[in-house]
Amino acid sequence: RWRNLFPMAIQFALGSLWSGLLVFYSRTAVFATSWPFLLLLVAFLVGNELFHHYVSRLVFSTTLLFFALISLAILIVPIYLHAIGPKVFLLSGAAVRLPSFSSIAGYWRGLAENGSLRHAGRC
């Protein structure tokens, strides 16, 4: 049952993150300097809809989730800390690693408990 809902939940979460990032970055950044990143965000947003059948693959969805979370952290952490610089940038990257690695570990733990760890390469 959860295996059928997982791709839809991931696609919904990624679509929400991409659209939110597009709004945040388009409102807070200067278009002349941030247009490549905004173009990449639009490509991810459209790609999420076009290639939804790949979302059930662990490597693809984890890569998209990590990029979305790091993009969000790079924007949000300096706002909360009221500072900007290399240390804040590195802190943003470190803040994203914990949720990313814990989601991967949870997925593998679920596969191991389910007894379908040998089929994980096909996900």
Side-chain angles (χ1 to χ4, degrees), residues 23-62:
V23 168
F24 283 137
Y25 274 100
S26 66
R27 303 282 288 182
T28 60
V30 176
F31 184 74
T33 58
S34 64
W35 69 267
F37 186 73
L38 290 172
L39 188 64
L40 185 65
L41 282 177
V42 169
F44 277 134
L45 187 63
V46 171
N48 185 45
E49 295 299 322
L50 293 177
F51 302 113
H52 61 87
H53 52 280
Y54 287 113
V55 173
S56 63
R57 296 186 181 187
L58 180 64
V59 173
F60 185 75
S61 62
T62 304

Coordinates of all heavy atoms in Angstrom, one line a residue, residues 23-62:
V23 N 9.1 31.0 -6.3 CA 8.5 32.2 -5.8 C 9.5 33.0 -4.9 O 9.7 34.2 -5.1 CB 7.2 31.9 -5.0 CG1 6.8 33.1 -4.2 CG2 6.1 31.4 -5.9
F24 N 10.2 32.3 -4.0 CA 11.1 32.9 -3.1 C 12.3 33.6 -3.8 O 12.7 34.7 -3.6 CB 11.7 32.0 -2.0 CG 10.7 31.7 -0.9 CD1 10.5 30.4 -0.5 CD2 10.0 32.7 -0.3 CE1 9.6 30.1 0.6 CE2 9.1 32.5 0.7 CZ 8.9 31.2 1.1
Y25 N 12.9 32.8 -4.8 CA 14.0 33.3 -5.5 C 13.7 34.4 -6.5 O 14.5 35.3 -6.7 CB 14.8 32.2 -6.2 CG 15.8 31.5 -5.3 CD1 15.5 30.3 -4.7 CD2 17.1 32.1 -5.1 CE1 16.5 29.7 -3.8 CE2 18.0 31.5 -4.2 CZ 17.7 30.3 -3.6 OH 18.6 29.7 -2.8
S26 N 12.5 34.3 -7.1 CA 12.1 35.3 -8.0 C 11.8 36.6 -7.3 O 11.9 37.7 -7.9 CB 11.0 34.9 -8.9 OG 9.8 34.7 -8.1
R27 N 11.3 36.6 -6.1 CA 11.0 37.8 -5.3 C 12.1 38.4 -4.6 O 12.1 39.6 -4.3 CB 9.9 37.4 -4.3 CG 8.6 36.8 -4.9 CD 7.7 37.8 -5.5 NE 7.1 38.6 -4.4 CZ 6.3 39.5 -4.7 NH1 5.9 39.8 -5.9 NH2 5.8 40.2 -3.7
T28 N 13.1 37.6 -4.2 CA 14.2 38.1 -3.4 C 15.5 38.4 -4.2 O 16.4 39.0 -3.6 CB 14.6 37.2 -2.2 OG1 15.0 35.9 -2.8 CG2 13.4 37.0 -1.3
A29 N 15.7 37.8 -5.4 CA 16.9 38.0 -6.1 C 16.8 38.9 -7.3 O 15.7 39.1 -7.8 CB 17.4 36.6 -6.6
V30 N 17.9 39.5 -7.7 CA 17.9 40.3 -8.9 C 17.9 39.4 -10.1 O 18.7 38.5 -10.2 CB 19.1 41.2 -8.9 CG1 19.2 42.0 -10.2 CG2 19.1 42.1 -7.7
F31 N 17.0 39.6 -11.0 CA 16.8 38.7 -12.2 C 18.1 38.7 -13.1 O 18.4 37.7 -13.6 CB 15.6 39.1 -13.0 CG 15.3 38.2 -14.2 CD1 14.8 36.9 -13.9 CD2 15.6 38.5 -15.5 CE1 14.6 36.0 -15.0 CE2 15.4 37.7 -16.5 CZ 14.8 36.4 -16.3
A32 N 18.8 39.8 -13.2 CA 19.9 39.9 -14.1 C 21.1 38.9 -13.6 O 21.8 38.5 -14.4 CB 20.5 41.3 -14.1
T33 N 21.1 38.7 -12.3 CA 22.2 37.8 -11.8 C 21.7 36.4 -11.5 O 22.5 35.5 -11.4 CB 22.8 38.4 -10.5 OG1 21.8 38.6 -9.5 CG2 23.5 39.7 -10.8
S34 N 20.4 36.2 -11.2 CA 20.0 34.9 -10.8 C 19.2 34.1 -11.9 O 18.6 33.1 -11.6 CB 19.1 35.0 -9.6 OG 17.9 35.8 -9.9
W35 N 19.1 34.6 -13.1 CA 18.4 34.0 -14.2 C 18.8 32.6 -14.4 O 17.9 31.7 -14.7 CB 18.3 34.8 -15.4 CG 19.6 34.9 -16.2 CD1 20.5 35.9 -16.0 CD2 20.1 34.0 -17.2 NE1 21.6 35.6 -16.9 CE2 21.3 34.5 -17.6 CE3 19.6 32.8 -17.7 CZ2 22.1 33.8 -18.5 CZ3 20.3 32.2 -18.7 CH2 21.6 32.7 -19.1
P36 N 20.1 32.2 -14.4 CA 20.4 30.8 -14.6 C 19.8 29.8 -13.6 O 19.3 28.8 -13.9 CB 21.9 30.7 -14.6 CG 22.4 32.1 -14.8 CD 21.3 33.0 -14.2
F37 N 19.8 30.3 -12.3 CA 19.3 29.4 -11.3 C 17.7 29.4 -11.4 O 17.1 28.3 -11.2 CB 19.7 30.0 -9.9 CG 19.2 29.1 -8.8 CD1 19.9 27.9 -8.5 CD2 18.2 29.4 -7.9 CE1 19.4 27.0 -7.5 CE2 17.8 28.6 -6.9 CZ 18.4 27.4 -6.7
L38 N 17.1 30.5 -11.7 CA 15.7 30.5 -11.9 C 15.3 29.6 -13.1 O 14.2 28.9 -13.0 CB 15.1 31.9 -12.1 CG 15.2 32.8 -10.8 CD1 14.8 34.2 -11.2 CD2 14.3 32.3 -9.8
L39 N 16.0 29.6 -14.1 CA 15.8 28.8 -15.3 C 15.9 27.3 -14.9 O 15.1 26.5 -15.3 CB 16.7 29.1 -16.4 CG 16.5 28.5 -17.7 CD1 15.2 28.9 -18.3 CD2 17.6 28.8 -18.7
L40 N 16.9 27.0 -14.1 CA 17.1 25.6 -13.6 C 15.9 25.2 -12.7 O 15.4 24.1 -12.8 CB 18.4 25.5 -12.8 CG 18.8 24.1 -12.3 CD1 19.1 23.2 -13.4 CD2 20.0 24.2 -11.4
L41 N 15.4 26.1 -11.8 CA 14.2 25.8 -11.0 C 13.0 25.5 -11.9 O 12.2 24.6 -11.6 CB 13.9 27.0 -10.1 CG 14.8 27.0 -8.8 CD1 14.4 28.3 -8.0 CD2 14.7 25.8 -8.0
V42 N 12.8 26.3 -12.9 CA 11.7 26.1 -13.8 C 11.8 24.8 -14.5 O 10.8 24.0 -14.7 CB 11.5 27.3 -14.8 CG1 10.6 26.9 -15.9 CG2 11.1 28.6 -14.2
A43 N 13.0 24.4 -14.9 CA 13.3 23.1 -15.6 C 12.9 22.0 -14.6 O 12.3 21.0 -15.0 CB 14.7 23.0 -16.1
F44 N 13.3 22.1 -13.4 CA 13.0 21.1 -12.4 C 11.5 21.0 -12.1 O 10.9 19.9 -12.0 CB 13.7 21.3 -11.0 CG 15.1 20.8 -11.0 CD1 16.1 21.6 -10.5 CD2 15.4 19.6 -11.5 CE1 17.4 21.2 -10.4 CE2 16.7 19.1 -11.4 CZ 17.7 19.9 -10.9
L45 N 10.8 22.1 -12.1 CA 9.4 22.2 -11.9 C 8.7 21.5 -13.0 O 7.8 20.7 -12.8 CB 8.9 23.6 -11.7 CG 7.5 23.8 -11.3 CD1 7.2 23.2 -9.9 CD2 7.2 25.3 -11.3
V46 N 9.0 21.8 -14.2 CA 8.4 21.2 -15.4 C 8.8 19.7 -15.5 O 8.0 18.8 -15.8 CB 8.8 22.0 -16.7 CG1 8.4 21.2 -17.9 CG2 8.2 23.3 -16.7
G47 N 10.1 19.4 -15.2 CA 10.6 18.0 -15.3 C 9.9 17.1 -14.3 O 9.7 15.9 -14.5
N48 N 9.5 17.7 -13.1 CA 8.8 16.9 -12.1 C 7.5 16.5 -12.6 O 7.0 15.4 -12.3 CB 8.6 17.8 -10.8 CG 8.0 17.0 -9.7 OD1 8.4 15.9 -9.4 ND2 7.1 17.6 -9.1
E49 N 6.8 17.3 -13.5 CA 5.5 16.9 -14.0 C 5.7 15.9 -15.2 O 4.9 15.0 -15.4 CB 4.8 18.1 -14.5 CG 4.4 19.0 -13.3 CD 3.5 18.3 -12.3 OE1 2.6 17.5 -12.7 OE2 3.7 18.6 -11.1
L50 N 6.7 16.2 -16.0 CA 6.9 15.4 -17.2 C 7.5 14.0 -16.9 O 7.1 13.0 -17.6 CB 7.8 16.1 -18.2 CG 7.2 17.3 -18.9 CD1 8.3 18.0 -19.8 CD2 5.9 17.0 -19.6
F51 N 8.4 13.9 -16.0 CA 9.1 12.6 -15.7 C 8.6 12.0 -14.4 O 9.4 11.5 -13.6 CB 10.6 12.8 -15.7 CG 11.1 13.4 -17.0 CD1 11.6 14.7 -17.1 CD2 11.0 12.6 -18.2 CE1 12.1 15.2 -18.3 CE2 11.5 13.1 -19.4 CZ 12.0 14.4 -19.4
H52 N 7.3 12.1 -14.1 CA 6.8 11.7 -12.8 C 7.0 10.2 -12.6 O 7.1 9.7 -11.5 CB 5.4 12.0 -12.6 CG 4.5 11.4 -13.6 ND1 3.9 10.2 -13.5 CD2 4.1 11.9 -14.8 CE1 3.2 9.9 -14.6 NE2 3.3 11.0 -15.4
H53 N 7.2 9.4 -13.7 CA 7.4 7.9 -13.5 C 8.8 7.6 -13.0 O 9.0 6.5 -12.5 CB 7.1 7.2 -14.8 CG 7.8 7.8 -16.0 ND1 7.4 8.9 -16.7 CD2 8.9 7.4 -16.6 CE1 8.2 9.2 -17.6 NE2 9.2 8.2 -17.6
Y54 N 9.7 8.5 -13.1 CA 11.0 8.3 -12.5 C 11.2 8.6 -11.0 O 12.1 8.3 -10.4 CB 12.1 9.1 -13.3 CG 12.4 8.6 -14.7 CD1 12.0 9.4 -15.8 CD2 13.0 7.4 -14.9 CE1 12.3 9.0 -17.0 CE2 13.3 7.0 -16.1 CZ 12.9 7.8 -17.2 OH 13.2 7.3 -18.5
V55 N 10.2 9.2 -10.5 CA 10.2 9.7 -9.1 C 10.3 8.5 -8.1 O 10.8 8.6 -7.0 CB 9.0 10.6 -8.8 CG1 8.9 10.9 -7.3 CG2 9.1 11.9 -9.5
S56 N 9.8 7.3 -8.6 CA 9.8 6.1 -7.7 C 11.2 5.6 -7.6 O 11.5 4.7 -6.8 CB 8.8 5.1 -8.2 OG 9.2 4.6 -9.5
R57 N 12.2 6.0 -8.4 CA 13.5 5.5 -8.3 C 14.3 6.3 -7.2 O 14.2 7.6 -7.2 CB 14.2 5.7 -9.6 CG 13.6 4.9 -10.7 CD 14.4 4.9 -12.0 NE 13.7 4.0 -12.9 CZ 14.2 3.8 -14.1 NH1 15.3 4.2 -14.4 NH2 13.5 3.0 -14.9
L58 N 14.9 5.6 -6.3 CA 15.5 6.2 -5.2 C 16.6 7.2 -5.5 O 16.6 8.3 -4.9 CB 16.1 5.1 -4.3 CG 16.8 5.6 -3.0 CD1 15.8 6.3 -2.1 CD2 17.5 4.4 -2.3
V59 N 17.5 6.9 -6.4 CA 18.6 7.8 -6.8 C 18.0 9.1 -7.4 O 18.5 10.2 -7.0 CB 19.6 7.2 -7.7 CG1 20.6 8.1 -8.2 CG2 20.2 6.0 -7.1
F60 N 17.0 9.0 -8.3 CA 16.5 10.2 -8.9 C 15.8 11.1 -7.9 O 16.0 12.3 -7.8 CB 15.5 9.8 -10.0 CG 14.9 10.9 -10.8 CD1 15.7 11.6 -11.8 CD2 13.6 11.3 -10.6 CE1 15.2 12.6 -12.5 CE2 13.1 12.3 -11.4 CZ 13.9 13.0 -12.3
S61 N 14.9 10.5 -7.1 CA 14.1 11.3 -6.1 C 15.0 11.9 -5.0 O 14.8 13.0 -4.6 CB 13.0 10.5 -5.5 OG 13.5 9.4 -4.8
T62 N 16.1 11.1 -4.6 CA 17.0 11.6 -3.6 C 17.8 12.8 -4.1 O 18.0 13.8 -3.4 CB 17.9 10.5 -3.1 OG1 17.1 9.4 -2.7 CG2 18.8 11.0 -2.0

